[in-house]
Amino acid sequence: MDRTPAPARRPVPVRRTAPVRRSDIPAAGPQRRAGTATGAVLGAILDHGPVARSTVARLTGLSPASVTGHSRQLLARGLIREAAETAGPRGLGRPHIPVEIDTGQCLVAGAHIAVAHSTLSLMDLRGRVVSEDRQPHRDTDPRRVLSALAARLPGLVAAHADGRTVLGLGVATGNRVDPAAGTIVHHPQLGWRDVPVREYLAAATGLPVHVDSHARALARAEQMFGQVTTRSSAVLLFVGAVIDAAFTSAGTVHLGPRAGAGSVAHLPVGPVGPDGQVGRAGAAMSCVCARPGCLHSVASESALLGMTAEQGLRVPTFRELLDLALAGEPRARELFGQRARYVGRAVALLLDTFDPEILVVVEPAAARLPECLAALRAEAGARSLVCDDPEQAIVPGSFTGSVLATAGGAVALGALYADPLGPWPAVTAVC
C-alpha cells in the first residue's frame, strides 16, 4: 500500500510525553517484541503516546487500516483512550486524534513471594505502583502463604483501586519457576517443590494468574518501562536473599527447557584475595552446593548477615543492616563494599559469557551507595575480557525502592502487553 501523504499535507509533529522512569524512546530505537499484532500496537502506544494512529502504523509496519482496527478493540477494552486532537501546522489538514494508554479504567495486581515476607501490589498500565503491602510469613507452608495473599487482595483493591478493574494477578519469586505450568518448581529457601501457584490463586481470586521468576519479570519491566537498551540484549542480575539472573535477546527472555535459565547463585567467585578487600568470614561461609566461594555464600542476604558479627555489629535483619549503611555506619558500608566486589566478579563472568548490550544489577547498595556501584564496576571491568566501558555496560535497575512490588505486577503486565485480546475476562466484562 502506498503510504505517501497527499501533496497538500505536511507531516504533523506528534507530541509525546515521557514514559515513566525513562526518556522517550526514539522512533529508530529497538522495538519491543510482542506476541500479537494488537500487542505491537499497544506497545507502540505505550512507548510514544499520545501518538497518531498513522505513526503507530509506521512504527509497527502494519497498515493504517489494521492499526485502526486494533485500536478500536483496545479502546473497547479500556486499555487505551483518545487524547485531545491536534491540528496540522497553521490549521492545514484534518485534525489528528492521538491515542494513549488509559490508566483510569484498569489495573493489575502483583504478588512477590520472598523468603521472609510477601509483597502485594497494584500497578497501572504504565507500570506505576499504585499501592503495595508487605507482610511477613507466619510460616512457609505454601498453601498458607498463598491463602494469605489471596485474602489480602480484596482489601487492597477496595482501599486503592478507585473503581478501576483488576485484570489479572502476576506472581513472582526467586529460583526455578515454570511460567507455562504456573508452578514454582523449586525454591530451596522456602522448601517448596512443584507448587501449583496459578491453579491455587486462580481458584482463590477468580482472576487470570501468571507466574514467573522475579529476575525474568524485572527484565520484562526494564524492556517495557525502564532501560531501552535491554530490548536488544541484556542480562539482569538480582542479588537478594535469592540470587538469580535473566538473559534476554531480541526482546525475548530466555527460559530454558527446564525453566532453569538464570541459575547463577553458585557461580565460583572465591575470595577477592589477600590485599584486604574481603574479610575472612565471607570466604569461609558454607552453602548447600558445598562449593567454597560460590556467589550465594558470599553475597546473599544471609551471607552478609553472617558477616556482621565479625564486624562487631548486632543486626537482626538485612533491611536494618542496609539502613545502617545508608546512614553512614562505616562497618556496614564496608560489608556492602565487599559484597559489591564479589558481585562484580560474577558480573564479569556474565559479561564474558553473554556479551550483552547492557547488564542491569538489581542490588540495593549498588543503586543507593555510589561507592558500591563504583567498586562493582571496577571489579567487573578489571576481570571482563569484553567490557571496555563498565560505566555504560553496567547499570543499576530502574525500580529502586519498588523492586518487589514491580516484579509481581510486571508478570501480569508482560502477559497483557504480549496479548491484550487474550483471556482477560474482566476486561471484556467491565472495561
Side-chain angles (χ1 to χ4, degrees), residues 60-88:
T60 60
L62 299 170
S63 71
S66 178
V67 169
T68 296
H70 292 303
S71 298
R72 188 179 298 117
Q73 291 176 300
L74 294 170
L75 284 163
R77 288 190 167 220
L79 302 180
I80 66 173
R81 64 188 174 197
E82 292 184 333
E85 65 183 36
T86 59

Side-chain angles (χ1 to χ4, degrees), residues 103-146:
T103 59
Q105 295 197 56
C106 303
L107 300 169
V108 297
H112 180 274
I113 302 170
V115 174
H117 52 77
S118 61
T119 302
L120 196 63
S121 63
L122 297 176
M123 182 180 285
D124 72 17
L125 301 192
R126 276 199 163 275
R128 294 176 292 212
V129 175
V130 173
S131 180
E132 66 176 286
D133 173 58
R134 179 179 299 183
Q135 297 292 335
H137 299 316
R138 295 183 178 179
D139 62 54
T140 58
D141 176 80
R143 294 189 70 86
R144 282 193 280 272
V145 170
L146 297 176

Side-chain angles (χ1 to χ4, degrees), residues 51-225:
V51 61
R53 292 169 178 82
S54 59
T55 304
V56 174
R58 176 175 59 80
L59 291 166
T60 60
L62 299 170
S63 71
S66 178
V67 169
T68 296
H70 292 303
S71 298
R72 188 179 298 117
Q73 291 176 300
L74 294 170
L75 284 163
R77 288 190 167 220
L79 302 180
I80 66 173
R81 64 188 174 197
E82 292 184 333
E85 65 183 36
T86 59
R90 300 180 183 175
L92 297 177
R94 288 184 293 179
H96 289 260
I97 302 178
V99 288
E100 61 185 354
I101 299 298
D102 189 344
T103 59
Q105 295 197 56
C106 303
L107 300 169
V108 297
H112 180 274
I113 302 170
V115 174
H117 52 77
S118 61
T119 302
L120 196 63
S121 63
L122 297 176
M123 182 180 285
D124 72 17
L125 301 192
R126 276 199 163 275
R128 294 176 292 212
V129 175
V130 173
S131 180
E132 66 176 286
D133 173 58
R134 179 179 299 183
Q135 297 292 335
H137 299 316
R138 295 183 178 179
D139 62 54
T140 58
D141 176 80
R143 294 189 70 86
R144 282 193 280 272
V145 170
L146 297 176
S147 294
L149 277 171
R152 287 158 52 195
L153 183 57
L156 193 69
V157 171
H160 300 286
D162 293 330
R164 288 172 284 187
T165 299
V166 176
L167 307 183
L169 171 64
V171 182
T173 191
N175 293 297
R176 282 182 63 195
V177 180
D178 185 344
T183 62
I184 295 175
V185 178
H186 187 207
H187 196 307
Q189 288 91 340
L190 288 173
W192 292 12
R193 275 195 178 273
D194 299 319
V195 178
V197 174
R198 180 172 63 204
E199 177 184 339
Y200 186 89
L201 287 177
T205 65
L207 293 170
V209 175
H210 297 266
V211 186
D212 210 340
S213 81
H214 57 206
R216 290 193 291 265
L218 290 167
R220 289 195 186 94
E222 292 288 353
Q223 292 174 334
M224 289 188 290
F225 313 111

Side-chain angles (χ1 to χ4, degrees), residues 78 130 169 238 253 283 299 312 335 356 426:
V130 173
L169 171 64
F238 183 99
V253 183
L335 284 171

Side-chain angles (χ1 to χ4, degrees), residues 281-304:
M285 287 287 291
S286 61
C287 180
V288 293
C289 72
R291 301 169 191 160
C294 81
L295 182 59
H296 185 273
S297 72
V298 295
S300 65
E301 291 182 4
S302 59
L304 215 62

